[in-house]
Amino acid sequence: MGAASLPRKVLVANRGEIAVRVIRACQDLGITAVAVHSEADADALHVALADEAVAIGPAPARSSYLDVGRIVDAARTAGCDAVHPGYGFLSENPALPRALAEAGIAFVGPSAEVIEQVGDKVAARGAAKAAAVPVVPGSDRLDTAEEAVGFATDVGFPVLLKAAAGGGGRGIRRVDEPDELATAFAEASREAEAAFGDGGVFVEKCIIDARHVEVQILADAHGAVVHLGERECSLQRRRQKLVEESPAPGLPAGLRKELGAAAVRLATEVGYRGAGTVEFLVDPHTWSFYFIEVNARIQVEHGVTELVTGVDLVVEQLRIAGGLPLPLAQDEISWSGAAIEFRINAEDPERGFFPSPGRLTLLRLPAGPGVRVDTGFETGRSIPPYYDSLIAKVMVWGSDREQALARARRALAELAVDGVASTAPLHRRIVGWDAFRGGQFHTGSLERFLAG
């Protein structure tokens, strides 16, 4: 790939809706899109829509989508000059950009060094402090439960034990009393070791009734960094997001501005390049905010930012990977209306969100004014049991939140998913929930709603 030019041919190293999303962005730019697929995905929609496809191995992800060697070989074999990792799988594994660099192939994302720095939460906290971004009172990496007790006693219970590596809610334990800490420390360390190959744990003060608010950033190779506003991600079950929206309801204007500026400072501090997200906890009692982590990739919920800004984040990722400058300065970015996303997963909320793979005998997707759906499936295709259960993202936009909510109610009523259980019925309940409609919720609200 020459200097400052779009990639010519991109390997999309993922599956499902994000692979379809990236393939479409490539084709809009005139870039040849090459899909990869495991044996279980040979007939998948992303394979059908791509310009070319390469088989990369058996169904288990560790033997296909998580195999760095197979991905690099596929890119080389297909003659690709860039690889887009999507989210999940290898998107935040520094081994992939390193291997691609050795093969002379561009990675659509940050450098391996930046991924390592922001991927280690203790190191990321250090970078945040250096950028004058507030962090939750917390410790460095701890070796023993006794050290954790000492720190937790100093900052006061409750605290969270968190894995130094990884994310997605894995390796996290809330501890309310000192005598719970030894057991929780061992559990969190074991889970972190199993999930991320790193059993490192640290302690953070638990912010009660916190809201989870994140800021989307874009950074080019020429030192320009902009933010595209915030997303509200507080509706979570076991720290897995179910509903996201932009802007965050009820946030003071001054706080929005501070969050955006803090995200840009941190991205600049670490030399970030590409699309990324800086996540914060916001205390709704004081409107204080605290950095929690950086996601060095495109995120599931990027669509709501696209709906309110009109900026195509995946297109910008591809432009940045080619060395092109950002097309917009901060004062040229504007926001319009409100957008909400509902994750439709093949899970049964009535059975503890038990996975429900199988053949989709009917998938009728909503449409009409203000409705966007991203999916990797259609009627007749099967959801394999090996991967993430996301069927589709139903996104709505309105000139204000009231109109977005009305369109959400209409879109979720139009949606039909047969053949597997799904979270669609739960989302219909959420849209009618007074706390959600009023924007009065926090990270603990959905668990209480489900329990009630």
Side-chain angles (χ1 to χ4, degrees):
M1 191 169 67
S5 63
L6 282 171
R8 176 184 50 80
K9 192 171 188 180
V10 171
L11 187 87
V12 183
N14 216 296
R15 63 178 302 281
E17 68 87 18
I18 190 60
V20 171
R21 172 74 183 89
V22 176
I23 288 165
R24 286 174 170 156
C26 288
Q27 293 172 341
D28 284 353
L29 291 169
I31 296 170
T32 302
V34 181
V36 296
H37 65 87
S38 68
E39 291 172 359
D41 278 338
D43 297 323
L45 182 61
H46 75 279
V47 177
L49 296 180
D51 299 297
E52 299 175 22
V54 181
I56 53 169
R62 65 180 179 278
S63 304
S64 49
Y65 298 105
L66 285 171
D67 188 318
V68 172
R70 289 177 187 265
I71 296 297
V72 176
D73 286 346
R76 191 188 287 117
T77 301
C80 295
D81 53 358
V83 170
H84 194 303
Y87 54 70
F89 290 140
L90 296 172
S91 61
E92 292 178 285
N93 185 334
L96 180 59
R98 285 211 170 89
L100 290 171
E102 290 175 7
I105 299 170
F107 177 69
V108 183
S111 68
E113 292 73 22
V114 168
I115 291 174
E116 284 176 334
Q117 184 178 7
V118 301
D120 183 306
K121 293 193 173 48
V122 175
R125 285 170 56 89
K129 291 177 184 175
V133 176
V135 299
V136 180
S139 70
D140 291 329
R141 185 183 292 253
L142 300 171
D143 294 323
T144 66
E146 289 72 24
E147 290 178 332
V149 170
F151 185 87
T153 302
D154 288 343
V155 300
F157 287 87
V159 297
L160 293 177
L161 290 173
K162 302 178 79 170
R170 308 289 297 278
I172 298 179
R173 294 288 186 282
R174 172 173 166 155
V175 182
D176 293 296
E177 303 289 342
D179 58 6
E180 299 172 1
L181 228 161
T183 301
F185 188 94
E187 290 175 353
S189 184
R190 274 198 304 271
E191 187 173 311
E193 177 66 37
F196 314 118
D198 178 353
V201 171
F202 67 104
V203 171
E204 273 187 359
K205 173 72 178 168
C206 184
I207 308 298
I208 304 297
D209 295 342
R211 287 172 60 176
H212 183 136
V213 179
E214 61 187 30
V215 177
Q216 176 72 53
I217 57 116
L218 285 172
D220 68 19
H222 309 281
V225 184
V226 298
H227 74 84
L228 293 98
E230 84 283 353
R231 294 187 287 259
E232 172 77 57
C233 302
S234 296
L235 288 187
Q236 305 175 6
R237 174 187 170 271
R238 296 184 178 177
R239 300 187 175 84
Q240 301 292 318
K241 301 166 187 170
L242 269 75
V243 180
E244 302 97 342
E245 60 180 291
S246 184
L251 225 58
L255 178 58
R256 295 183 204 282
K257 194 172 179 180
E258 286 185 55
L259 288 168
V264 168
R265 285 201 305 276
L266 179 50
T268 304
E269 170 70 24
V270 301
Y272 200 90
R273 192 183 78 159
T277 299
V278 184
E279 299 196 339
F280 299 95
L281 288 180
V282 173
D283 185 335
H285 307 294
T286 64
W287 295 125
S288 301
F289 68 92
Y290 307 94
F291 163 77
I292 46 176
E293 66 178 332
V294 175
N295 293 139
R297 53 178 164 76
I298 196 75
Q299 285 190 288
V300 175
E301 58 268 34
H302 73 276
V304 293
T305 296
E306 294 182 328
L307 287 172
V308 296
T309 63
V311 176
D312 188 319
L313 292 169
V314 179
V315 164
E316 293 311 319
Q317 283 189 296
L318 293 163
R319 285 172 43 84
I320 292 168
L324 295 166
L326 289 176
L328 293 168
Q330 188 66 61
D331 60 5
E332 295 175 301
I333 296 169
S334 59
W335 292 265
S336 173
I340 311 173
E341 172 181 285
F342 302 87
R343 299 191 190 193
I344 310 301
N345 293 302
E347 297 173 350
D348 188 350
E350 299 300 317
R351 298 176 60 214
F353 292 83
F354 199 76
S356 181
R359 183 171 173 273
L360 286 160
T361 54
L362 173 64
L363 179 60
R364 187 183 68 212
L365 300 174
V371 177
R372 164 178 161 179
V373 181
D374 286 8
T375 183
F377 297 93
E378 58 189 355
T379 297
R381 297 193 186 270
S382 292
I383 300 169
Y386 310 100
Y387 316 114
D388 184 271
S389 64
L390 185 64
I391 302 172
K393 304 182 307 193
V394 173
M395 291 170 272
V396 293
W397 177 90
S399 57
D400 55 27
R401 193 166 185 265
E402 281 302 307
Q403 188 181 46
L405 286 168
R407 287 175 168 168
R409 187 167 54 247
R410 186 240 311 159
L412 290 167
E414 288 181 18
L415 174 69
V417 182
D418 288 339
V420 301
S422 85
T423 53
L426 171 61
H427 286 303
R428 295 183 190 113
R429 287 179 55 205
I430 288 174
V431 168
W433 176 25
D434 288 344
F436 176 63
R437 298 188 65 80
Q440 300 295 316
F441 53 84
H442 51 74
T443 50
S445 299
L446 185 59
E447 298 276 9
R448 294 173 199 169
F449 176 69
L450 293 170

